[in-house]
Amino acid sequence: MAAAGVFLLLGGCADQRSNAVAPAGTQRVEVHYSAGEVQGGVQRVRVQRGGVVELVVSSDVADEVHLHTYDRKVDVPAGGSATLNFTADQSGVFEAELESRGVQLVQFEVR
């Protein structure tokens, strides 16, 4: 898949802005925001309930990444990236957004 878009990978960081290795089986989701839009469009990602998710957001603008309902937040710097981890312990569809801009980045469908 091209550099832009949403990617599902295994591995990566264990907590917000850490270089530690994530637990085996962690579902990694990468989102790239630039030029006023989510590259590749907003995707809905299925997640197994109880699974660990690592959301990595890169952005050309500074903002707060906010995962609704779970109420997890992390600041992403302009031209940088930030990592937000969570355990998908609630069923439903939940969105992560750039909070100040009100821009949806990704939806997580937890089953």
Side-chain angles (χ1 to χ4, degrees):
M1 183 176 261
V6 177
F7 302 90
L8 299 180
L9 305 169
L10 295 178
C13 300
D15 57 67
Q16 296 176 13
R17 300 180 195 201
S18 169
N19 290 325
V21 175
T26 297
Q27 185 173 356
R28 182 178 168 110
V29 177
E30 294 186 20
V31 177
H32 305 281
Y33 179 83
S34 66
E37 62 185 31
V38 175
Q39 301 302 297
V42 176
Q43 304 292 314
R44 180 176 283 197
V45 179
R46 286 190 178 172
V47 177
Q48 182 174 353
R49 186 173 175 154
V52 176
V53 177
E54 177 180 74
L55 172 61
V56 180
V57 176
S58 62
S59 176
D60 63 351
V61 296
D63 207 325
E64 177 185 86
V65 176
H66 180 212
L67 176 61
H68 289 266
T69 303
Y70 287 87
D71 203 27
R72 299 292 313 267
K73 303 172 186 177
V74 64
D75 290 330
V76 61
S81 65
T83 302
L84 186 150
N85 293 289
F86 69 99
T87 299
D89 57 3
Q90 300 178 58
S91 296
V93 177
F94 309 99
E95 72 175 40
E97 71 174 355
L98 289 177
E99 188 68 18
S100 296
R101 285 170 175 71
V103 173
Q104 189 175 147
L105 297 170
V106 62
Q107 293 179 347
F108 293 102
E109 181 178 349
V110 181
R111 295 179 171 206

